[in-house]
Amino acid sequence: TRSTRPQRLLGAVQKNATRGDPGSVIQAIDHYCRNKEWAMNVGDEKGCILDSVVSEVNPATVLELGTYCGYSTVRIARLLPPHAKLITLEFNPAVAAIARQVIAWAGLEDKVQLVEGASGDFIPRIKEQFGVKTFDLVFLDHWKEYYLPDTKLMEECGLLRKGSVLLADNVVCPGAPDYLEYVRSSPRYESRYFKSHLEYTKVEDGLEKSVFLG
Ligand SMILES: Nc1ncnc2c1ncn2CCOCCNC(=O)c1cc(-c2ccc(F)cc2)cc(O)c1O
Ligand SMILES: [Mg+2]
């Protein structure tokens, strides 16, 4: 049977990237998705914005919602200080299996905990299951209609502290209008839009960075 897009993306990593070299894994995926077949990675342009926010926050604890093939997981984990932890949630087991291999190829498995399941089920259990009190940084990149309910759930579960940073992908394309409205109008957030483009295209998209004020 025909291979899947995630399987072909993993093949490009194994063929073109150097084991243990996260930068070469990132380059191999971007080259493949720009020249062979598009895939919904955050990509190189928005990825640079992601890098700058990760470096600024210098987080000890990170939550990523929506792993996909692990491209943004590798981008984030490669910048984390030693002993920092990234928990990433992926819904689709077949996709999660690819992401594990991409993360391992980059040599970052010790910094990353990939969990399979839906965000709504896992968020309430993160504290007791993973011994995390609050997250310094949350990267939202899963189903766009889940951004708002999951943000409210993280607030209710006490997973955000004064200064926690939420960074949301695709707030323009595919779009998360209810989420944008919420973080931009709520007095509990200081929000800023980083204009960019949909990965590997000229279509407008961007990242919304929202600091929780407690
Ligand atoms: N832990 C969890 N809990 C719940 N659900 C979960 C989950 N983990 C995964 N999922 C399921 C959803 O995962 C993928 C979500 N990402 C996207 O859909 C996405 C789509 C485009 C896109 C597509 C087509 C266009 F034409 C234009 C743009 C671009 C992007 O950058 C995207 O990120
Ligand atoms: Mg995305």
Side-chain angles (χ1 to χ4, degrees):
T1 53
R2 184 169 147 70
S3 63
T4 65
R5 189 178 307 227
Q7 283 169 329
R8 292 191 294 272
L9 187 147
L10 173 63
V13 167
Q14 293 169 332
K15 179 164 174 277
N16 303 311
T18 307
R19 269 186 178 284
D21 177 355
S24 74
V25 168
I26 292 163
Q27 274 180 350
I29 294 173
D30 285 329
H31 187 270
Y32 181 76
C33 294
R34 194 174 284 285
N35 298 290
K36 297 285 187 312
E37 64 176 328
W38 187 91
M40 60 182 170
N41 317 118
V42 74
D44 44 0
E45 192 181 318
K46 288 186 289 179
C48 285
I49 300 166
L50 172 62
D51 289 356
S52 63
V53 172
V54 173
S55 302
E56 175 203 349
V57 175
N58 197 33
T61 55
V62 184
L63 175 62
E64 175 180 63
L65 300 175
T67 316
Y68 191 49
C69 295
Y71 174 89
S72 49
T73 320
V74 167
R75 281 204 84 110
I76 296 166
R78 85 190 200 286
L79 298 175
L80 293 182
H83 316 302
K85 277 281 164 221
L86 193 170
I87 297 173
T88 182
L89 283 182
E90 176 49 49
F91 179 71
N92 180 324
V95 170
I98 298 295
R100 289 188 201 286
Q101 296 174 77
V102 170
I103 293 159
W105 199 271
L108 293 167
E109 57 274 43
D110 295 348
K111 291 181 178 286
V112 176
Q113 183 140 25
L114 196 160
V115 182
E116 292 175 33
S119 50
D121 303 335
F122 266 94
I123 287 172
R125 298 209 289 260
I126 288 177
K127 271 190 192 269
E128 91 230 53
Q129 272 195 1
F130 299 97
V132 168
K133 286 215 299 292
T134 57
F135 287 104
D136 302 323
L137 174 66
V138 181
F139 182 54
L140 297 95
D141 195 20
H142 60 329
W143 275 323
K144 309 315 162 194
E145 60 275 17
Y146 280 33
Y147 283 17
L148 183 52
D150 285 348
T151 297
K152 290 180 173 174
L153 192 52
M154 287 187 284
E155 288 174 16
E156 286 151 23
C157 295
L159 287 169
L160 304 179
R161 52 130 177 111
K162 188 173 165 44
S164 289
V165 172
L166 304 184
L167 188 65
D169 189 25
N170 310 118
V171 294
V172 168
C173 177
D178 57 346
Y179 173 80
L180 274 190
E181 166 58 30
Y182 179 74
V183 290
R184 288 176 177 175
S185 62
S186 166
R188 302 182 77 187
Y189 290 92
E190 183 59 45
S191 219
R192 179 185 162 192
Y193 176 61
F194 291 79
K195 185 173 181 234
S196 183
H197 295 94
L198 177 68
E199 48 267 26
Y200 317 117
T201 78
K202 293 184 169 32
V203 173
E204 182 180 342
D205 188 21
L207 300 173
E208 187 81 2
K209 178 192 171 198
S210 308
V211 183
F212 186 62
L213 303 173

